Amino acid sequence: MLAEVGHFALILALLVAAAQAVLPMLGAMRGDAALMAFGRSAAACQAVLIALAFGCLMTLFGQADFSVALVANHSALSQPLPYRLAATWGNHEGSMLLWVLVLALYGAGIARFGDNLRTTLQARVLSVQAMISVAFLAFALFTSNPFARLSPAPLDGAELNPLLQDPGLVFHPPLLYLGYVGFSVTFSFAVAALLEGRADPAWARWMRPWVLAAWVPLTCGITLGSFWAYYELGWGGWWFWDPVENASFMPWLLGTALLHSAIVTEKRGSLAGWTILLAILAFSLSLIGTFLVRSGILTSVHAFAVDPERGVFILAMIIGATGTALGLFALRAPQMKSGALFGSVSREAGLTLNNLLLMALTAVVFLGTFYPVIMEAVAPANKISVGPPYYNLVFVPLSVPLLLLVTAGPMLAWKRDDLAVVGRKLLVPAALTAALLAGLSLWTGLAQASAALGLALGAWLVLGAGLVLARRWWGAGGFSLRLVRTTPAATIGLALAHAGIGFTTAGIAAMSSFAAEHILVIRPGETTTAGPLSLTMLGAEEVDGANYRALRARFAVRQNGSERILVSERRFYDNSRNQTTEAGIGVSVLGNQYVAIGDVQSDAKGQGLVVRLYWHPLVGWIWFGGLLMAMGGAASLSDRRFRIGAPQSRAPLAPNLVPAE
């Protein structure tokens, strides 16, 4: 019965979304307050209905109701309850239901927290948001029904992919979806602004919290996904430029550009058209990521690999949403106000250059992701792959000027500045960074010049973040606790986020240049080395888990006179006949000791165990930096200025179109 209740709730949600897509828009055009108010009620109703459907599906997984095809295909009685519940979104149909749930919750959030919005703008935003909901609810109901029955019901189900039976599944997909779907709100704001012909500082102030609300969980999701792959897959890497990894990274890059562009529009009224365009493209890339995962054109550990017909449906949604929005942008953007002018040396100019570099980096990742797909479509016999060498050659050089600009940008004044003045502000961090670069170059030698540069850039970013706070906290009379207490949350957020980029940069540089590895067949009592590590195998035994059997090996790892015991497992899941590797990881501030076992093999000395031993210097800094970035975004989102009325233009503007000046 729960399956039918959930299915019926989805049907009702589709009908409510269809009404929400039409009536508030009509009300905004006619100035009808009742119709515009309907949009707020409909958004709340839609969220309740989809939450009911999602709750029904999760209950079915918890109860192991194998009469529902989705439960039978992705859950088993031997599966631990937390992973049975998380399997709700560990598949195509359930993840699409999570997608529409997040979409509806964002819509309800606009209705609940949009009191400061112009009534017509809120109505149009809710209407556009509902149009997106209609498309995805139709997709879920007509091509990906999560409540389809299975008759006869099996006594037990097919196990969830063992790689997904991990705490990462509980948090990683929901965080990514909060990010992906969050950009639907900024997309709706952009389209609503184009319909009204008005994108002023007040509009940017209203939209910026929603940009942060998407950017923060997306940052967390990408960081958690990287860490999950690192400890779960047993290959010792934190990023592989997998196409589906790129699918989450591209919206993050454009979302970062959108955040900075919205600041310029809010503070100076400039770059409004650029902000609108970035809002459209960020959500379009989120849709493209959905297409990559579900179209079946990619083979990836992340992909659901469903049939191509569903991919065509999503492709039609991408073309419809992006094409309509870009067409409206081409029609309306040239007629909208351009905002205040600024000099070539100014914070506006710095943020514009920042956005251009982020756009270029996004284009590099987009080309590397889709070039193999396009070439395979043109010439199926000639399959190619684009991997780290391409990104190291193209992406990294473009990143260097961007990272230099991250510290310099906050030192620039609005409207106009002088290079000599900016240089004096940056003298201390520049001198310290130059000294560090010289010292690292002498230590590493020319062969590791890129590592020295990366570590120095990391220091440059952290020092620049500290400089932002130092300039805020030191007044005419020196350090002031009053200035510390009155520091805006957005300023603290900026410093945390920029420092996070610095830690991540340093971690990437160290991992790329100083990591060591040794792969061999080893037996109990034997010893091997990798970089500064010495490893001795203590023994191995077979153990039973909740729904798996495992070969568990214990190792003594020594480094700099200290020793710790690490345990690695090779797990065998009888239900699905799959295997996974659980790495043994020794964590420290300076780096990780990493041990992963493979299969039993024979060599000249007899039978032994394949072991991968890695030394990963500063690898934890990569994820610590990601956490700092997310904390910075969250701090900015908490700024009280977002909870008060946005600034209004002094002169009233026409409701539908602002003529060119």
Side-chain angles (χ1 to χ4, degrees):
M1 188 64 178
L2 278 178
E4 287 69 32
V5 171
H7 193 210
F8 184 60
L10 279 186
I11 295 172
L12 289 179
L14 176 60
L15 297 176
V16 171
Q20 181 186 334
V22 175
L23 297 181
M25 187 72 73
L26 188 61
M29 294 171 61
R30 294 180 175 180
D32 189 322
L35 289 179
M36 288 189 284
F38 172 80
R40 296 191 292 272
S41 302
C45 180
Q46 185 189 156
V48 170
L49 288 169
I50 297 177
L52 173 61
F54 189 83
C56 288
L57 184 61
M58 180 171 281
T59 303
L60 290 168
F61 269 96
Q63 294 176 345
D65 187 345
F66 299 127
S67 68
V68 176
L70 193 65
V71 178
N73 292 333
H74 299 280
S75 182
L77 292 173
S78 59
Q79 207 165 288
L81 179 61
Y83 300 145
R84 284 215 307 271
L85 295 176
T88 306
W89 54 80
N91 54 81
H92 166 71
E93 292 83 356
S95 67
M96 287 311 305
L97 185 55
L98 176 62
W99 177 288
V100 296
L101 173 63
V102 175
L103 188 63
L105 291 176
Y106 272 116
I110 298 168
R112 171 64 180 81
F113 301 109
D115 294 340
N116 291 329
L117 291 173
R118 291 191 302 272
T119 307
T120 54
L121 178 64
Q122 185 187 43
R124 288 187 169 99
V125 170
L126 287 172
S127 182
V128 176
Q129 194 77 4
M131 293 176 190
I132 301 170
S133 292
V134 167
F136 277 97
L137 283 168
F139 178 73
L141 283 168
F142 300 127
T143 74
S144 310
N145 180 13
F147 298 105
R149 288 289 189 179
L150 183 63
S151 181
L155 296 178
D156 199 356
E159 192 170 44
L160 179 70
N161 186 340
L163 287 175
L164 300 180
Q165 295 185 41
D166 185 271
L169 179 65
V170 179
F171 302 104
H172 174 58
L175 285 171
L176 280 185
Y177 283 13
L178 283 169
Y180 282 152
V181 184
F183 287 122
S184 69
V185 179
T186 61
F187 175 86
S188 298
F189 266 91
V191 173
L194 290 170
L195 291 171
E196 290 197 346
R198 179 177 178 179
D200 53 13
W203 168 83
R205 168 73 69 86
W206 286 321
M207 184 177 71
R208 190 149 72 98
W210 295 104
V211 181
L212 285 167
W215 187 87
V216 170
L218 184 57
T219 303
C220 290
I222 293 173
T223 302
L224 177 58
S226 170
F227 181 60
W228 185 9
Y230 174 77
Y231 73 76
E232 177 65 22
L233 297 183
W235 59 295
W238 63 276
W239 191 264
F240 193 64
W241 294 107
D242 180 277
V244 183
E245 289 177 332
N246 295 347
S248 62
F249 189 41
M250 288 187 289
W252 185 87
L253 288 171
L254 279 195
T256 305
L258 171 61
L259 179 60
H260 291 84
S261 184
I263 293 173
V264 178
T265 304
E266 176 189 342
K267 300 292 186 182
R268 298 286 298 155
S270 302
L271 305 184
W274 186 245
T275 303
I276 290 173
L277 180 62
L278 286 172
I280 294 170
L281 294 180
F283 182 58
S284 298
L285 287 176
S286 297
L287 293 178
I288 288 172
T290 305
F291 170 74
L292 283 175
V293 172
R294 301 164 200 285
S295 62
I297 65 174
L298 293 177
T299 300
S300 165
V301 69
H302 305 85
F304 291 108
V306 299
D307 60 273
E309 292 183 2
R310 294 177 180 175
V312 171
F313 195 110
I314 298 175
L315 188 60
M317 286 193 287
I318 295 172
I319 294 172
T322 307
T324 301
L326 291 178
L328 190 60
F329 178 80
L331 179 66
R332 288 294 182 90
Q335 301 171 321
M336 298 176 73
K337 287 189 174 183
S338 60
L341 298 177
F342 53 86
S344 57
V345 180
S346 63
R347 188 172 295 192
E348 294 97 321
L351 290 172
T352 300
L353 180 57
N354 167 85
N355 284 356
L356 290 173
L357 289 169
L358 286 168
M359 284 285 287
L361 291 173
T362 305
V364 167
V365 179
F366 187 90
L367 179 62
T369 303
F370 281 95
Y371 183 73
V373 176
I374 296 171
M375 290 303 297
E376 185 176 347
V378 174
N382 299 326
K383 292 187 176 182
I384 65 169
S385 62
V386 175
Y390 161 76
Y391 295 100
N392 292 339
L393 185 64
V394 184
F395 188 91
V396 173
L398 282 172
S399 301
V400 174
L402 176 64
L403 297 178
L404 291 172
L405 187 61
V406 167
T407 290
M411 298 300 109
L412 293 167
W414 292 105
K415 191 175 181 180
R416 188 177 294 107
D417 209 336
D418 183 83
L419 282 177
V421 175
V422 177
R424 286 194 294 270
K425 294 177 183 177
L426 293 169
L427 183 60
V428 173
L432 291 175
T433 301
L436 179 62
L437 178 59
L440 289 171
S441 299
L442 290 174
W443 176 57
T444 61
L446 292 177
Q448 299 290 352
S450 60
L453 177 61
L455 291 169
L457 280 173
W460 165 256
L461 291 161
V462 174
L463 289 169
L467 182 61
V468 169
L469 296 179
R471 288 178 60 81
R472 173 78 191 184
W473 293 344
W474 263 262
F479 178 78
S480 170
L481 287 175
R482 182 185 63 82
L483 293 176
V484 173
R485 289 193 300 268
T486 58
T487 301
T491 301
I492 296 174
L494 180 151
L496 286 174
H498 287 189
I501 299 172
F503 279 103
T504 296
T505 301
I508 292 171
M511 269 290 289
S512 302
S513 300
F514 303 126
E517 66 175 280
H518 192 186
I519 303 175
L520 76 161
V521 177
I522 194 172
R523 282 155 287 275
E526 294 183 346
T527 299
T528 187
T529 60
L533 306 183
S534 173
L535 174 142
T536 301
M537 183 175 178
L538 301 178
E541 59 179 341
E542 292 188 358
V543 297
D544 291 328
N547 59 333
Y548 61 85
R549 295 176 293 110
L551 177 63
R552 177 181 295 168
R554 298 172 65 251
F555 302 89
V557 181
R558 289 171 292 279
Q559 181 182 9
N560 299 327
S562 64
E563 179 179 297
R564 68 171 71 187
I565 305 300
L566 298 182
V567 178
S568 178
E569 292 184 357
R570 187 74 169 171
R571 295 180 177 178
F572 306 86
Y573 292 80
D574 292 324
N575 196 326
S576 60
R577 302 295 179 185
N578 286 323
Q579 301 181 18
T580 64
T581 298
E582 301 295 317
I585 304 174
V587 178
S588 71
V589 174
L590 295 180
N592 288 0
Q593 305 158 348
Y594 189 105
V595 182
I597 64 173
D599 297 324
V600 176
Q601 289 191 7
S602 300
D603 60 8
K605 298 180 182 180
Q607 275 197 340
L609 195 61
V610 175
V611 172
R612 296 174 174 85
L613 172 63
Y614 300 94
W615 163 241
H616 292 153
L618 304 189
V619 66
W621 292 26
I622 298 173
W623 306 304
F624 176 68
L627 179 62
L628 275 184
M629 283 185 259
M631 290 172 61
S636 296
L637 186 58
S638 70
D639 196 304
R640 65 177 298 272
R641 290 175 293 180
F642 291 138
R643 299 192 296 273
I644 62 178
Q648 298 285 344
S649 300
R650 292 183 179 178
L653 302 176
N656 291 320
L657 189 64
V658 177
E661 291 184 337

